Amino acid sequence: MKGPLFYSKILLFGEYGIIKDSKGLSIPYNFFKGALKTDDNLSNQAIESNKSLKNFTEHLRNLEKEEIGLVQFDLEALEKDVTNGMYFDSSIPQGYGIGSSGALVAAIYDKYANEKITVLENLTREKLLKLKEIFGKMESFFHGKSSGLDPLNSYLSLPILINSKDNIESTSIPSQNKEGKGAVFLLDSGMTGETAPMVQIFMEKMKQEGFRNMIKNQFVKHTDACVEDFLSGNIKSLFGNLKQLSHVAFDHFKPMIPSKFHNLWRQGIETNDYYLKLCGSGGGGYILGFTQDFEQAQKALEGHKLEVVYHF
């Protein structure tokens, strides 16, 4: 038995900023995916996943009690399936900032939520916010605190535009130009990152007035501009703002950038061959790259694993 597929996601813009009400843009990334599956012979990985689902079921039971009226699950069916060896069969690397737990949350909601909101109905802002709230509460099991955006993206398989905390909408992004020289790409740091400690560092820094001002006057400003430029296809302005965003991240988010990538990050800003930014919370996993000439970026980043996400 295998359930429907749920894809990974990439938050193109908005990491950390959306905590402070910046815009954000999240897109599905179909290269990695996962599905609920039941098998007789479980691999070690499947056994771990099955164990995690047992604990997750308990989390959902508590969620129903604590948040009366938010969401109800068919917990009997879920428990039975977990007892029969159900697990989440996924190619989405964990700790890479592309939504491994989000896809799992989406799959569980899709299969076991009663009276679920579906992709087929008219997705009003209220419905999107309700889904985001449900998913945030579900996903908090994995991260301690979750915006609910990753599962939302995975569940709907649509690009999501975050205008502010209580204003989100599904959106469309400019069509890819497969012949284009420009690209958004993923750079593999070769190490996993943990979301919770990175968010903790950010929250500590937010206690300093200087850091808060920088977030508001620089980080959020350039993030918002990047979202608008990307959606309107204004490439020249986008790369101007990306350079600024990359610079701000380099100056103020050093702990979130794996140290062996500090030189490559700076090199991109100095040569303009590419600009790097955080993908998710950072600390490892993937780093996002943007370039107007992918061949040139490949030469500059020789020896590193790059995956193209989007051509323009």
Side-chain angles (χ1 to χ4, degrees):
M1 174 199 102
K2 190 161 184 177
L5 289 170
F6 290 90
Y7 297 104
S8 55
K9 67 87 199 92
I10 291 173
L11 186 61
L12 280 185
F13 304 103
E15 74 293 335
Y16 292 107
I18 51 177
I19 298 176
K20 291 291 139 203
D21 246 8
S22 77
K23 285 184 184 290
L25 180 64
S26 181
I27 61 169
Y29 181 45
N30 299 355
F31 188 73
F32 296 114
K33 50 196 163 299
L36 292 167
K37 201 171 172 186
T38 307
D39 245 329
D40 294 333
N41 294 327
L42 296 188
S43 66
N44 289 341
Q45 203 179 352
I47 290 167
E48 279 307 304
S49 170
N50 176 260
K51 260 191 218 152
S52 173
L53 280 177
K54 274 196 184 92
N55 297 333
F56 187 46
T57 305
E58 210 38 54
H59 170 74
L60 298 182
R61 190 182 300 288
N62 293 333
L63 177 59
E64 278 194 357
K65 287 181 197 143
E66 286 160 22
E67 302 281 341
I68 306 286
L70 180 67
V71 62
Q72 292 284 314
F73 299 96
D74 185 348
L75 290 170
E76 227 171 272
L78 174 56
E79 272 189 336
K80 191 175 152 203
D81 289 342
V82 170
T83 306
N84 289 335
M86 184 174 75
Y87 64 100
F88 192 58
D89 182 28
S90 168
S91 65
I92 307 169
Q94 289 184 352
Y96 261 65
I98 56 170
S100 55
S101 57
L104 166 58
V105 165
I108 293 287
Y109 177 84
D110 180 62
K111 186 161 185 195
Y112 299 101
N114 298 331
E115 298 174 29
K116 64 181 183 189
I117 297 167
T118 73
V119 190
L120 302 170
E121 54 201 86
N122 176 18
L123 288 169
T124 60
R125 184 180 299 171
E126 286 71 31
K127 283 180 186 167
L128 284 172
L129 284 171
K130 172 132 196 223
L131 271 175
K132 181 174 173 286
E133 186 188 356
I134 291 168
F135 288 149
K137 297 271 165 56
M138 288 173 74
E139 199 184 30
S140 67
F141 170 76
F142 299 97
H143 294 318
K145 188 172 176 3
S146 158
S147 68
L149 272 171
D150 289 5
L152 184 66
N153 205 294
S154 194
Y155 182 63
L156 300 177
S157 224
L158 294 166
I160 305 282
L161 170 63
I162 301 109
N163 293 305
S164 66
K165 274 198 187 70
D166 349 324
N167 182 351
I168 56 174
E169 55 188 303
S170 57
T171 187
S172 56
I173 58 176
S175 305
Q176 292 205 53
N177 172 12
K178 292 285 187 198
E179 307 302 305
K181 287 173 75 170
V184 182
F185 60 89
L186 292 173
L187 167 64
D188 189 345
S189 74
M191 56 201 272
T192 57
E194 293 254 346
T195 301
M198 293 295 134
V199 173
Q200 191 59 44
I201 292 171
F202 177 76
M203 289 312 198
E204 277 304 310
K205 282 174 171 273
M206 283 302 284
K207 291 175 182 169
Q208 305 157 18
E209 192 187 352
F211 189 81
R212 283 200 304 275
N213 289 340
M214 177 281 300
I215 288 291
K216 192 171 110 190
N217 301 326
Q218 296 176 49
F219 195 68
V220 168
K221 182 182 131 193
H222 297 309
T223 297
D224 287 0
C226 282
V227 171
E228 282 160 25
D229 290 340
F230 186 85
L231 288 175
S232 61
N234 188 344
I235 300 299
K236 189 166 183 284
S237 175
L238 171 66
F239 275 84
N241 281 306
L242 272 167
K243 182 170 186 167
Q244 301 286 352
L245 192 57
S246 187
H247 219 303
V248 171
F250 189 69
D251 290 343
H252 300 281
F253 287 82
K254 278 262 182 24
M256 288 76 164
I257 303 170
S259 52
K260 60 177 184 176
F261 288 92
H262 287 183
N263 285 339
L264 281 182
W265 200 290
R266 192 190 301 113
Q267 177 186 303
I269 296 167
E270 286 168 1
T271 61
N272 300 315
D273 287 342
Y274 57 86
Y275 302 128
L276 299 179
K277 66 181 289 298
L278 295 171
C279 179
S281 54
Y286 285 117
I287 293 167
L288 258 177
F290 291 77
T291 178
Q292 296 195 69
D293 184 342
F294 186 61
E295 275 183 22
Q296 184 58 36
Q298 273 180 308
K299 281 190 196 122
L301 294 165
E302 203 180 342
H304 291 276
K305 240 167 78 183
L306 311 182
E307 298 271 357
V308 173
V309 173
Y310 182 89
H311 288 278
F312 51 81

